[in-house]
Amino acid sequence: YTNGINILTDERGNYLQYSFTKNTDVSINCYNALGEKIGKTIHTTLNNQGIFPLELSASSKGFYTVELLFDGQKRVQKIIR
């Protein structure tokens, strides 16, 4: 994929796998099953390809929603921790 982000979950945790051809500002919000925001909004700039960890280890196991804002797009995906 080019110019995009996938949210992945495996035995190591939750993370973003990304690929961008230019510096891209990304905002990340995480919400619990009740829709309550967890922690602060993460603002970062991503470029090229790589992995960005989502630090949910302090949160209890359950369902979460991750909201990504980048390049004028909004992407929402549910994950299990």
Side-chain angles (χ1 to χ4, degrees), residues 10-51:
D10 65 16
E11 64 278 353
R12 296 174 290 175
N14 305 95
Y15 54 94
L16 306 178
Q17 183 180 34
Y18 63 87
S19 176
F20 292 108
T21 56
K22 62 181 175 65
N23 285 345
T24 303
D25 293 328
V26 178
S27 296
I28 305 164
N29 294 302
C30 293
Y31 301 90
N32 65 19
L34 299 176
E36 299 166 330
K37 188 173 175 183
I38 299 172
K40 295 181 179 180
T41 300
I42 299 167
H43 299 284
T44 189
T45 300
L46 303 176
N47 191 9
N48 298 319
Q49 295 180 353
I51 292 176

Side-chain angles (χ1 to χ4, degrees), residues 2 5 7 15 20 29 42 47 55-56 62 67 70 72-73:
T2 57
I5 298 178
I7 301 171
Y15 54 94
F20 292 108
N29 294 302
I42 299 167
N47 191 9
E55 296 298 329
L56 295 175
E67 175 187 71
F70 63 97
Q73 300 178 47

